[in-house]
């Protein structure tokens, strides 16, 4: 029987609050000069007293509700003691026995199979200072110290790297929908730890933790590496040590950080400076009522209501702003423009432009109304598909409405017989050879002549009309001869 991995995850997510977890310093530290956003509380100076950030509690409960968790009626903050230079107090304020949320789940879908990954707990804590090691010394920036940090712990319910990738992707999407986390991994807003054991089905493996993973890629690459490493050991009849690993990003391998014997004892105890919190059920219900429609529910609705494929629905709902743009476009769509057409142009052309110019949908100056106005021209045959793409690009750059761009560029499709007939006649006169072939019944040459008409009109001829006029002109000549 083959070996299979069992994987659990811990995700640390910084909360998008204005101030830090226990003081009034700004939590938006990224662009600030080092150590410019600090005070006695986050520096851990003696006598400084922490105050709980209500918005951070709110964001954590909102997340717990979105992850189908039970919300605590009483919760508490604890001190997690360990010495490290990035922790000026010598302890981190975290939650131990009474986390804000527990016993939830997040649904994922891999290869058409839906699975619920159980969430053990979601708790609230504070981020540490940032250590930067340079040659000969280490630099400490306390701006990050005390930034609200949410920890989301899953049960070991995942059994493949694909499931893990889907889990973190879904989770990031949910957090961004809720507006509680930026999802910006390059700035460390989401950090990951995984635990993985490999065993034959029904047997128990040895759990190995991998810490300090800062991207989806680091998560999946380190898991692939670690699963292969454990499998190799087991196949040789060896036994896997219970250790904590780090991930070497450059060399792409895990390395041992500490063994089981060295596992730290954090001596958790309730923080005497902070009161236990009692959560009013009515307040929790108020937050529940504020939950937006979440990505997976939205994707299912798009498939049901608009007949979109699972793939397109997934692409449209991954980001809330994209989903909102799509829904606004559907709501504004005139007759002849359906959701499927909007989906195709949005995920095809518009996404292509966004990727090429590194823009997010928020930075695109096109309104949903202008997009469907453009699509209406294409659907009605007033604009060719190729011209439509050209117009969209100009709209993308300038934000001008489509009618204006079409007029300025003279792109309106030629659907007027009187205007197109002379062009067709001219093309036939200039191409006597192909015309003779056409008259001899060689239909394929029609495509060449169509191409000539398109060229003469810079792609603006209505293709159906051009084809009909060509055939009619040929028929007239056939009869005349
Ligand atoms: Mn933690």
């Amino acid at each position: 029987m083959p070996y299979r991995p069992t994987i659990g995850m811990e995700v640390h997510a910084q909360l998008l609050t204005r101030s830090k977890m226990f003081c009034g310093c700004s939590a938006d530290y990224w662009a600030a000069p080092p150590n410019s956003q600090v005070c006695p509380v986050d520096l851990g100076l003696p006598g400084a007293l922490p105050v709980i950030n209500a918005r951070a509690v709110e964001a954590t409960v909102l997340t717990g509700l979105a992850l189908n968790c039970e919300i605590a009626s009483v919760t508490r903050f604890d001190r997690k003691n360990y010495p490290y230079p990035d922790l000026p107090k010598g302890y981190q304020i975290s939650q131990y026995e009474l986390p804000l949320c527990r016993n939830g789940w997040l649904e994922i879908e891999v290869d058409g199979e839906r699975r619920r990954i159980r969430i053990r707990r979601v708790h609230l804590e504070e981020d540490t200072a940032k250590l930067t090691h340079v040659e000969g010394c280490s630099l400490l920036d306390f701006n990050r110290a005390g930034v609200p940090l949410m920890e989301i712990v899953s049960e070991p319910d995942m059994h493949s790297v694909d499931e893990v990738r889907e889990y973190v992707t879904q989770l990031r999407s949910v957090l961004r929908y809720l507006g509680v986390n930026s999802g910006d991994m390059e700035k460390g807003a989401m950090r990951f730890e995984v635990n993985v054991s490999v065993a034959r089905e029904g047997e128990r493996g040895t759990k190995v933790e991998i810490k300090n993973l800062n991207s989806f890629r680091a998560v999946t690459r380190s898991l692939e590496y670690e699963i292969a490493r454990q499998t190799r050991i087991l196949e040789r009849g060896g036994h896997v040590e219970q250790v904590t690993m780090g991930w070497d990003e450059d060399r792409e391998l895990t390395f041992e950080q500490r063994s089981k014997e060295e596992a730290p004892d954090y001596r958790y105890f309730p923080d005497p400076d902070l009161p236990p919190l009692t959560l009013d059920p009515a307040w929790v219900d108020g937050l529940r009522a504020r939950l937006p429609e979440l990505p997976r529910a939205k994707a299912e609705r798009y498939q049901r209501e608009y007949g979109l494929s699972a793939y397109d629905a997934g692409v449209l709902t991954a980001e809330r702003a994209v989903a909102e743009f799509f829904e606004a476009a559907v709501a504004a769509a005139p007759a002849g423009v359906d959701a499927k057409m909007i989906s195709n142009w949005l995920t095809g052309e518009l996404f292509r432009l966004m990727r090429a110019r590194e823009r997010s949908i928020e930075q695109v100056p096109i309104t949903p109304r202008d997009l469907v106005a453009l699509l209406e021209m294409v659907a009605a045959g007033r604009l060719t598909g190729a011209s439509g793409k050209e117009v969209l690009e100009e709209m993308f750059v300038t934000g001008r409405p489509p009618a204006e761009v079409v007029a300025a560029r003279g792109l309106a499709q030629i659907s007027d017989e009187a205007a197109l007939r002379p062009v067709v006649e001219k093309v036939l006169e200039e191409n006597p050879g192909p015309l003779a072939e056409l008259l001899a019944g060689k239909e394929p040459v029609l495509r060449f002549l169509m191409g000539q008409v398109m060229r003469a009109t810079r792609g603006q001829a209505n293709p159906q009309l051009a084809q009909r006029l060509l055939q009619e002109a040929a028929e007239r000549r056939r009869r005349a001869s």
Side-chain angles (χ1 to χ4, degrees):
M1 212 159 58
Y3 291 101
R4 84 167 186 163
T6 296
I7 306 159
M9 276 208 99
E10 290 170 25
V11 178
H12 282 95
Q14 288 178 337
L15 294 175
L16 285 171
T17 54
R18 282 224 297 268
S19 58
K20 291 188 183 178
M21 187 60 231
F22 298 112
C23 64
C25 291
S26 170
D28 183 12
Y29 65 93
W30 188 255
N35 297 307
S36 62
Q37 297 183 165
V38 292
C39 74
V41 173
D42 44 39
L43 289 172
L45 299 185
L49 286 172
V51 177
I52 298 168
N53 183 334
R55 292 279 180 218
V57 175
E58 198 175 289
T60 305
V61 172
L62 203 59
T63 304
L65 291 169
L67 296 177
N68 309 289
C69 290
E70 297 159 13
I71 307 302
S73 49
V74 178
T75 186
R76 192 176 71 199
F77 288 94
D78 301 279
R79 290 186 180 181
K80 179 181 182 181
N81 297 281
Y82 64 95
Y84 205 70
D86 64 7
L87 202 60
K89 298 192 290 289
Y91 60 85
Q92 179 192 30
I93 305 179
S94 182
Q95 298 195 286
Y96 189 51
E97 281 171 336
L98 300 175
L100 271 164
C101 324
R102 55 169 120 213
N103 298 334
W105 48 267
L106 177 65
E107 188 181 79
I108 61 167
E109 187 170 336
V110 175
D111 298 332
E113 196 199 333
R114 288 178 199 187
R115 296 203 47 220
R116 281 183 182 182
I117 307 304
R118 289 171 298 156
I119 306 290
R120 184 182 298 167
R121 56 188 281 151
V122 182
H123 72 245
L124 189 51
E125 56 190 36
E126 56 180 341
D127 210 341
T128 58
K130 192 161 171 47
L131 262 174
T132 309
H133 304 289
V134 292
E135 220 173 310
C137 68
S138 295
L139 302 172
L140 265 169
D141 179 5
F142 286 92
N143 287 348
R144 199 181 72 178
V147 166
L149 200 60
M150 183 167 64
E151 185 173 329
I152 302 159
V153 183
S154 88
E155 296 290 346
D157 282 351
M158 289 166 274
H159 296 287
S160 71
V161 175
D162 284 344
E163 287 186 354
V164 172
R165 187 186 293 110
E166 186 57 22
Y167 172 79
V168 288
T169 303
Q170 277 295 322
L171 187 61
R172 177 177 182 272
S173 182
V174 168
L175 298 185
R176 282 176 50 82
Y177 261 65
L178 298 175
V180 300
N181 175 269
S182 69
D184 195 340
M185 287 172 276
E186 279 172 27
K187 294 181 180 168
M190 278 182 95
R191 279 119 59 188
F192 311 91
E193 290 171 26
V194 295
N195 54 74
V196 51
S197 61
V198 174
R200 291 182 203 277
E201 210 156 339
E203 287 175 15
R204 255 181 115 86
T206 308
K207 196 165 91 175
V208 169
E209 279 183 87
I210 315 170
K211 288 190 176 293
N212 303 325
L213 304 168
N214 296 322
S215 65
F216 288 177
R217 185 187 151 82
V219 168
T220 54
R221 300 287 289 164
S222 66
L223 274 171
E224 281 160 5
Y225 182 87
E226 186 57 27
I227 290 165
R229 188 188 71 88
Q230 291 186 31
T231 304
R232 259 197 323 273
I233 293 175
L234 294 171
E235 278 171 351
R236 282 202 309 258
H239 117 120
V240 176
E241 300 285 336
Q242 187 176 337
V243 289
T244 299
M245 296 282 203
W247 173 243
D248 187 326
E249 188 91 56
D250 299 322
R251 291 158 66 209
E252 298 215 316
L253 49 84
T254 54
F255 60 92
E256 192 172 321
Q257 278 188 329
R258 62 173 180 244
S259 69
K260 190 186 180 186
E261 290 71 39
E262 299 163 84
D265 171 9
Y266 294 118
R267 293 169 292 122
Y268 282 99
F269 66 89
D271 192 310
D273 290 338
L274 292 164
L277 288 181
T278 304
L279 303 188
D280 180 354
W283 178 79
V284 174
D285 285 341
L287 288 182
R288 200 188 306 274
R290 255 178 51 191
L291 277 182
E293 185 183 29
L294 293 168
R296 279 195 53 81
K298 230 185 226 313
E300 278 172 23
R301 182 167 64 82
Y302 286 7
Q303 293 175 64
R304 218 172 41 237
E305 274 180 25
Y306 306 128
L308 300 184
S309 69
Y311 178 81
D312 285 345
V315 170
L316 287 170
T317 54
E319 290 291 337
R320 187 175 178 172
V322 171
E324 281 169 358
F325 188 101
F326 170 74
E327 287 177 29
V330 169
V337 177
D338 63 8
K340 183 83 194 141
M341 184 182 190
I342 296 169
S343 164
N344 287 344
W345 278 73
L346 191 54
T347 61
E349 276 312 296
L350 196 60
F351 273 29
R352 189 182 61 74
L353 292 167
M354 282 160 59
R355 269 194 303 274
R357 291 163 196 260
E358 294 182 1
R359 298 277 160 78
S360 67
I361 193 95
E362 291 97 331
Q363 296 166 315
V364 173
I366 301 171
T367 63
R369 193 168 288 280
D370 279 349
L371 176 70
V372 292
L374 169 67
L375 300 193
E376 188 185 20
M377 293 185 212
V378 176
R382 279 180 281 137
L383 209 57
T384 62
S387 297
K389 289 175 188 177
E390 197 181 321
V391 174
L392 187 72
E393 183 156 4
E394 164 116 22
M395 290 164 69
F396 189 95
V397 175
T398 63
R400 290 167 74 192
E404 229 178 275
V405 178
V406 169
R409 295 201 167 195
L411 282 172
Q413 178 162 283
I414 305 168
S415 295
D416 178 0
E417 276 197 46
L420 203 52
R421 195 169 288 122
V423 179
V424 168
E425 290 297 333
K426 190 156 177 281
V427 163
L428 291 177
E429 269 158 42
E430 285 171 358
N431 294 280
L435 172 61
E437 284 183 42
L438 186 64
L439 291 175
K442 290 185 182 159
E443 286 290 317
V445 79
L446 193 60
R447 276 188 57 196
F448 166 79
L449 293 166
M450 278 287 291
Q452 297 304 304
V453 173
M454 283 300 173
R455 206 162 134 192
T457 57
R458 288 170 36 235
Q460 285 165 249
N462 176 322
Q464 289 83 27
L465 180 62
Q467 182 164 344
R468 180 164 64 79
L469 292 179
L470 272 170
Q471 283 165 327
E472 284 174 8
E475 190 55 33
R476 266 200 309 280
R477 282 172 170 74
R478 207 175 279 135
R479 279 203 220 107
S481 64

